[in-house]
Amino acid sequence: MEAEVRTPPTICGMGHRMKRKEDARFLFGKGRYVDDIKLPGMLYMDIVRSPFAHARIKSINAERALAMDGVVAVITGKDLEKYNLHWMPTLMGDTQMVLPTDRVMYQAQEVAAVIATDRYIAADAVEAIEVEYEPLEPVIDPFRALEPDAPVLRTDKGKTDNHIWHWEVGDREATERAFQEADVVVKQQIYIPRIHVASIETCGCIADYDPVEGKLTVYMTTQAPHVVRTALAMVAGHVGLSEEKIRVISPDIGGGFGGKVPIYPGYVIAIAASVLLGKPVKWIEDRSENLQADSFARDYHITAELAATKEGKITALRIKTLADHGYTDAAANPSKFPAGLFSICTGSYDIKHAFVEVDAVYTNKPPGGIAYRCSFRVTEAVHAIERMVDVLAQKLGMDPAELRFKNFIQPDQFPYKSALGWEYDSGNYPAALRKAMDLIGYEELRREQAERRARGELMGIGISSFTEIVGAGPSRHFDILGIKMFDSCELRIHPTGKAIARFGTKSQGQGHETTYAQIIAEELGIPAEHVQVEEGDTDTAPYGLGTYASRSTPTAGAAAAMAARKVREKARKIAAYLLEVSEEDLEWEPGVFRVKGAPDKSVTIQDIALAAYTNHPPGMEAGLEAVHYYDPPNLTFPFGSYICVVDIDKGTGQVKIRRFVAVDDCGHVINPMIVEGQIHGGLTMGFAPAMMEELVYDEEGNILTGSFMDYLLPTAVETPRWETARTVTPSPHHPLGAKGVGESATVGAPAAIVNAVVDALSPYGVTHIDIPITPYKVWKILHEKGVV
Amino acid sequence: MATQKVTVTLTVNGTTHTAEVEPRLLLVHFLREHLNLTGTHIGCDTTHCGACTVLMNGRAVKSCTVLTVQADGATIKTIEGMAENGQMHPLQEGFHVEHGLQCGYCTPGMIMRAAELLARNPDPTEEEIRWGISGNLCRCTGYVNIVKAIQYAARKLREREQAAAGS
């Protein structure tokens, strides 16, 4: 089902599979990523990192490094302390070291920085710096962190234990009662491991301070340049960096996925170095630094319980979670949501009672708690509920599809108020699951499975019927550092009828230069080819909160539509003047105002644009432009149903995904080609943590997966051949009926895969497997359960 | 740690360059920093991601694992050398038409690897393409459309070959 296409291909509004406007520069090798930028006199920064997870720094000796040809400076925490810049706030109101003055808190933490004339010399100098450490007892296991005799990590904050915060939502007592009255209760421990987004471009920046103008320009791999500018002004205002003198430029970004939202110490050190030296300083981390020190995602230890009637009607959900945040809470959630949107965990089901609590702890691991292509902990929530529904189905001996149909929120229940407080905007869950089942041939697969089981073969079918929550957010609930989570579009129509549109978001591959142009084409009838889209320069773009959490279409996409409609209203006035009729006598079709009843009397949007500068009505301001800051009335709730079929090799434990059908519903589609691409990529980033990826630490806090040698990203060989389809249930409150789609598949896919593997092994008493499902893990289960 | 520099001569995208380089200088840095050919990217430090793939004497190599001195006398082709007279190479065209790129960071390496693949095997199966690009990581596309892009280019190149043979 395609969205209704209202414009001809010459205009290329919504619903067209328009080829991307941004492609050419990337295909010709002319993309402009941060490491491609070279400034005159630029210096290079490299970083000394801690070999210990927890240690006291006894001394740092930089003499040998400073004596090397080409080494310009060495910066330590003591140097930054003079300016009170050795600590910085995190987005969650915690504090993080820029460079340490006394203690290091995780392996690979920044200890000192070298500035040199060449990146090779900087790397040599890093080796020449001598740091003496006194190792301290590390706290690695988050459960150990809560034991009374565990070393207290954040004594700097006056803490007496390692507990960060407790957060709860829902009705504890009513949920308790529902559990007491239930026919059936299932309970499962689910660990959602620590993983890393590992975008193929790592993080980096060029800080360029002009001592004469007092202006700082920072080219930075950031998904949220405006927030970075404001944060820099807040943190470094006392050393003279005032917001109007800070320009953050986010050039082409080689993938973000949430990993380029935080402000990492490396950025701040490079800025400090540039200010101190008065020269541009480039810092580009390598892959090991990226995996070992940048924000991780997930790391949730979940205990989930479902209560149900014996007929399979779910009556209550209860979840208790321990969140390992590393040594500081550097999540990138909206301020009021320490556990993000985890309370979407009632999922696609009409569950009357629910109670969720999360406790966060400090450990000697890198800080974070960011998303991995996910809207603030939604993957954790979806994984928990979609796993639990299968655990319950297994307990009841019921088909997992049947159990889902029995408990789905029904189409006539929308808008639906969930037990944990969300108002779901729209959905048709049975239709999506039915479509997925038809596409994959569900009943036939179940028959095949029965035959294979009889022969002792291991085949499994797994379902995930997820609901997402994206597009933060309504500003009454959502802010970052107090800044409300609206987003913006500034649209100008030139005299020749071409346009430029600037946004507060920042594409990292999502195709904004094309989709935003299509939205404006849809609303104004100006060909999308003629709409230039710009983002990422805080000196020119309107303020916005950036691109993450699938928020660009729900917020900035809506802002584009609203700005275009403002332009159209002014255009109507000009058209009425040009045609010498009243505004009410005009009707609009894409790109043209016509006089009602006299359709040959018309003016095009291009005629109107020219008139706006050459012949505008007396008393009217010249020009044709508009700005809109869009504050969504609600979040949007994309959903979908995925079905995965696996075969397991008994000899090796290898799981082979035979088929994977994904039916997604993101409301009205702007560009079906781009949406499919987003889903392909999202599915692969769902497959990856389900089967391959995990950041693993030993008991001393040494990272065991610190490079692509050990942190496995899927290649084209492992990645399944995705089959995608769509249903369309528009959002009732979004101006275009759209919902956001970049992360749905990452959120929904892992549970379908695990459910399939558990289904294959369920005859042998297996009820759960934690991700990643490695061959060794399955092989062990096969042996423990006596399958082989 | 400065060492004596070595003189190297490389032909890159048809232009011959002679330069004095440190023996440890990686080819990728020579291309990016000395020749300003920044289309070749760096994505890891362990030769896994393939973002830095270029053609060296017609073979796809990961230029982060080749020393510039090893390339002395070699003919190098980078993404900047793929288009002819401003016209996209069929692989570039294929990636555009089939939406085989999103953030674009892995794309140059992917295209250079695919160029070698198609030079050796003009009509690869999907399986052969998937194995062929398994040394190149993409985090955005899920590979589906990259495979289609390479199939598109293979078709185009075969047609071009046939047309040339016929004329």
Side-chain angles (χ1 to χ4, degrees):
Chain A
M1 202 185 329
E2 295 281 344
E4 188 193 345
V5 177
R6 284 183 291 256
T7 54
T10 46
I11 292 176
C12 230
M14 279 181 67
H16 285 282
R17 302 178 71 89
M18 185 184 185
K19 305 286 175 260
R20 297 201 321 171
K21 288 158 63 81
E22 48 269 79
D23 281 358
R25 66 176 183 273
F26 299 121
L27 290 167
F28 284 102
K30 299 292 181 193
R32 192 173 185 242
Y33 302 93
V34 73
D35 197 18
D36 301 341
I37 300 166
K38 230 194 234 182
L39 301 178
M42 189 169 76
L43 301 172
Y44 294 83
M45 184 175 98
D46 206 341
I47 291 176
V48 180
R49 292 177 182 274
S50 170
F52 295 104
H54 194 195
R56 190 169 303 288
I57 297 172
K58 293 171 74 176
S59 66
I60 299 175
N61 182 351
E63 266 176 48
R64 281 207 303 138
L66 285 166
M68 294 167 74
D69 270 352
V71 173
V72 176
V74 172
I75 296 174
T76 66
K78 299 278 188 206
D79 299 317
L80 296 182
E81 192 176 17
K82 290 176 208 153
Y83 306 94
N84 196 26
L85 284 174
H86 54 314
W87 286 85
M88 63 178 182
T90 71
L91 295 176
M92 294 312 291
D94 207 330
T95 53
Q96 178 171 7
M97 287 178 236
V98 178
L99 282 172
T101 50
D102 60 342
R103 268 204 298 170
V104 285
M105 301 293 267
Y106 64 93
Q107 190 182 56
Q109 185 181 335
E110 300 81 359
V111 172
V114 176
I115 318 295
T117 52
D118 172 290
R119 68 174 86 207
Y120 283 61
I121 296 171
D124 289 341
V126 161
E127 297 298 317
I129 290 177
E130 294 152 19
V131 185
E132 204 182 338
Y133 298 95
E134 176 194 337
L136 301 169
E137 183 187 342
V139 180
I140 305 305
D141 178 352
F143 293 95
R144 163 73 183 141
L146 290 177
E147 287 171 6
D149 65 336
V152 176
L153 299 183
R154 297 302 303 272
T155 47
D156 61 284
K157 293 177 77 181
K159 295 282 292 180
T160 53
D161 60 26
N162 294 314
H163 186 256
I164 314 177
W165 44 258
H166 172 85
W167 174 81
E168 61 179 55
V169 60
D171 188 332
R172 186 193 290 264
E173 284 73 34
T175 304
E176 177 65 38
R177 272 196 304 281
F179 269 89
Q180 281 164 5
E181 291 161 9
D183 299 335
V184 185
V185 170
V186 286
K187 182 174 184 175
Q188 184 62 54
Q189 315 269 342
I190 300 168
Y191 176 50
I192 304 185
R194 186 174 270 246
I195 52 175
H196 200 286
V197 298
S199 50
I200 304 298
E201 180 201 36
T202 61
C203 295
C205 70
I206 302 168
D208 181 19
Y209 182 70
D210 177 340
V212 177
E213 299 285 339
K215 180 150 183 168
L216 172 72
T217 303
V218 192
Y219 303 84
M220 185 192 273
T221 48
T222 177
Q223 300 175 228
H226 301 272
V227 179
V228 169
R229 186 189 70 195
T230 303
L232 286 175
M234 286 172 170
V235 171
H238 65 283
V239 292
L241 285 181
S242 182
E243 194 163 2
E244 83 284 10
K245 297 280 193 187
I246 302 171
R247 179 183 190 184
V248 178
I249 298 173
S250 186
D252 286 328
I253 300 290
F257 313 115
K260 289 170 180 168
V261 175
I263 300 171
Y264 294 117
Y267 298 136
V268 181
I269 306 166
I271 290 166
S274 181
V275 173
L276 287 169
L277 300 168
K279 290 195 168 162
V281 174
K282 180 187 270 192
W283 167 66
I284 306 291
E285 64 182 7
D286 64 29
R287 175 59 58 194
S288 314
E289 295 176 292
N290 173 257
L291 287 173
Q292 293 176 22
D294 287 1
S295 288
F296 70 92
R298 303 188 187 158
D299 214 346
Y300 261 29
H301 297 260
I302 295 171
T303 304
E305 296 171 274
L306 277 183
T309 66
K310 56 183 183 300
E311 293 80 25
K313 174 71 193 142
I314 300 168
T315 53
L317 166 72
R318 186 162 55 193
I319 290 181
K320 190 170 170 56
T321 291
L322 187 64
D324 181 346
H325 273 268
Y327 95 90
T328 179
D329 182 358
N333 292 328
S335 307
K336 297 189 191 77
F337 297 84
L341 308 179
F342 188 58
S343 54
I344 193 67
C345 58
T346 53
S348 307
Y349 310 102
D350 186 13
I351 302 176
K352 197 144 184 224
H353 303 290
F355 179 71
V356 176
E357 55 189 327
V358 182
D359 288 275
V361 296
Y362 292 126
T363 60
N364 287 113
K365 289 187 217 140
I370 58 149
Y372 171 110
R373 199 172 182 152
C374 148
S375 172
F376 316 122
R377 304 289 189 186
V378 175
T379 310
E380 289 89 324
V382 164
H383 200 72
I385 186 68
E386 286 307 304
R387 258 306 23 249
M388 290 312 291
V389 169
D390 265 42
V391 171
L392 178 64
Q394 203 173 334
K395 171 99 171 181
L396 293 168
M398 194 180 276
D399 185 285
E402 186 193 342
L403 185 62
R404 282 177 172 79
F405 282 120
K406 192 171 271 219
N407 287 283
F408 276 147
I409 300 162
Q410 294 301 309
D412 61 2
Q413 286 178 277
F414 291 92
Y416 172 82
K417 188 87 191 258
S418 80
L420 296 176
W422 300 112
E423 188 179 291
Y424 292 26
D425 59 348
S426 62
N428 189 343
Y429 305 149
L433 178 54
R434 177 43 62 194
K435 185 163 187 171
M437 290 169 74
D438 290 346
L439 284 170
I440 208 157
Y442 187 77
E443 281 78 14
E444 180 53 40
L445 284 169
R446 285 289 178 205
R447 276 192 289 279
E448 181 195 333
Q449 183 185 39
E451 288 165 20
R452 286 186 185 272
R453 277 185 178 165
R455 295 200 296 268
E457 294 173 26
L458 300 176
M459 169 189 167
I461 305 159
I463 301 173
S464 170
S465 291
F466 64 94
T467 291
E468 263 216 296
I469 172 168
V470 307
S475 68
R476 64 187 181 279
H477 297 308
F478 292 93
D479 70 85
I480 285 181
L481 295 174
I483 303 159
K484 303 291 194 181
M485 293 184 73
F486 54 80
D487 226 293
S488 59
C489 170
E490 180 192 279
L491 173 63
R492 291 186 198 162
I493 315 300
H494 305 314
T496 57
K498 315 296 194 291
I500 184 162
R502 295 189 169 110
F503 295 83
T505 47
K506 175 64 203 174
S507 181
Q508 312 120 41
Q510 293 90 337
H512 291 178
E513 289 169 48
T514 306
T515 49
Y516 287 159
Q518 286 184 267
I519 292 171
I520 289 160
E522 174 80 10
E523 296 292 335
L524 287 178
I526 295 173
E529 267 317 312
H530 295 167
V531 182
Q532 176 79 19
V533 169
E534 281 186 14
E535 304 173 290
D537 182 339
T538 59
D539 265 11
T540 57
Y543 206 97
L545 276 278
T547 292
Y548 44 85
S550 294
R551 67 186 298 280
S552 297
T553 293
T555 60
M562 300 305 277
R565 286 172 196 179
K566 285 180 185 170
V567 164
R568 198 166 69 203
E569 281 320 296
K570 182 167 181 183
R572 177 184 292 273
K573 289 186 170 49
I574 298 171
Y577 172 73
L578 295 175
L579 293 167
E580 298 176 328
V581 294
S582 73
E583 289 176 48
E584 295 72 46
D585 292 333
L586 293 172
E587 42 188 19
W588 170 256
E589 69 184 66
V592 188
F593 279 107
R594 290 186 197 284
V595 177
K596 286 179 193 164
D600 54 325
K601 281 189 74 182
S602 65
V603 283
T604 65
I605 189 74
Q606 289 79 10
D607 299 333
I608 296 167
L610 187 62
Y613 297 87
T614 60
N615 178 27
H616 56 288
M620 181 187 277
E621 276 183 58
L624 192 56
E625 58 184 68
V627 183
H628 194 90
Y629 284 77
Y630 186 79
D631 184 0
N634 189 6
L635 293 124
T636 67
F637 295 75
F639 61 94
S641 270
Y642 295 169
I643 304 182
C644 174
V645 185
V646 300
D647 299 292
I648 300 177
D649 184 316
K650 278 184 167 179
T652 62
Q654 192 181 22
V655 174
K656 179 88 188 149
I657 294 181
R658 188 203 304 181
R659 287 186 71 191
F660 195 110
V661 166
V663 176
D664 273 275
D665 192 320
C666 58
H668 279 154
V669 170
I670 301 161
N671 182 325
M673 177 192 82
I674 286 179
V675 166
E676 283 157 25
Q678 289 292 305
I679 290 168
H680 292 157
L683 288 167
T684 307
M685 283 183 84
F687 166 75
M691 302 288 282
M692 298 169 76
E693 293 175 14
E694 181 175 6
L695 290 170
V696 183
Y697 291 82
D698 73 9
E699 57 208 22
E700 296 299 319
N702 297 305
I703 185 165
L704 305 181
T705 51
S707 78
F708 280 166
M709 292 287 277
D710 307 290
Y711 191 83
L712 293 184
L713 267 58
T715 75
V717 172
E718 296 85 35
T719 303
R721 286 141 177 85
W722 309 114
E723 300 169 60
T724 60
R726 197 161 45 237
T727 59
V728 177
T729 311
S731 169
H733 62 76
H734 186 277
L736 304 166
K739 285 190 172 184
V741 74
E743 297 160 332
S744 290
T746 301
V747 165
I753 296 168
V754 183
N755 287 346
V757 176
V758 172
D759 182 55
L761 299 171
S762 61
Y764 306 94
V766 175
T767 57
H768 176 72
I769 303 176
D770 278 331
I771 56 174
I773 301 178
T774 58
Y776 178 58
K777 214 180 252 183
V778 176
W779 184 89
K780 265 201 318 190
I781 291 168
L782 293 173
H783 284 260
E784 281 162 16
K785 299 286 182 185
V787 184
V788 288
Chain B
M1 254 163 264
T3 43
Q4 204 176 352
K5 293 198 172 176
V6 178
T7 303
V8 292
T9 302
L10 289 79
T11 303
V12 181
N13 300 332
T15 306
T16 301
H17 301 269
T18 298
E20 301 252 299
V21 300
E22 276 193 69
R24 63 176 178 171
L25 183 72
L26 298 174
L27 178 59
V28 68
H29 285 136
F30 180 75
L31 295 170
R32 289 178 52 81
E33 310 278 338
H34 292 238
L35 303 186
N36 294 316
L37 294 170
T38 54
T40 302
H41 301 142
I42 301 170
C44 72
D45 27 63
T46 48
T47 323
H48 284 85
C49 82
C52 64
T53 305
V54 300
L55 296 183
M56 181 161 127
N57 297 329
R59 289 201 58 184
V61 296
K62 294 181 177 178
S63 62
C64 74
T65 322
V66 176
L67 297 167
T68 312
V69 291
Q70 289 176 289
D72 188 17
T75 299
I76 306 287
K77 192 174 207 176
T78 70
I79 187 70
E80 289 92 342
M82 287 299 278
E84 279 178 23
N85 305 321
Q87 289 296 302
M88 283 188 183
H89 183 276
L91 272 164
Q92 292 167 309
E93 202 181 300
F95 274 71
H96 178 58
V97 171
E98 299 291 353
H99 187 32
L101 71 156
Q102 290 182 25
C103 81
Y105 200 79
C106 76
T107 311
M110 206 60 95
I111 286 178
M112 299 319 289
R113 170 61 194 132
E116 187 209 25
L117 177 72
L118 295 184
R120 288 164 172 241
N121 180 358
D123 192 9
T125 62
E126 177 177 348
E127 202 65 23
E128 286 167 339
I129 292 173
R130 283 180 178 264
W131 279 101
I133 59 169
S134 64
N136 294 66
L137 296 172
C138 170
R139 202 61 160 159
C140 297
T141 65
Y143 304 104
V144 180
N145 292 345
I146 292 179
V147 171
K148 285 188 201 160
I150 296 170
Q151 288 169 331
Y152 174 100
R155 213 161 46 237
K156 273 276 170 123
L157 286 165
R158 286 199 308 273
E159 283 165 14
R160 193 184 277 184
E161 191 86 350
Q162 280 158 10
S167 63

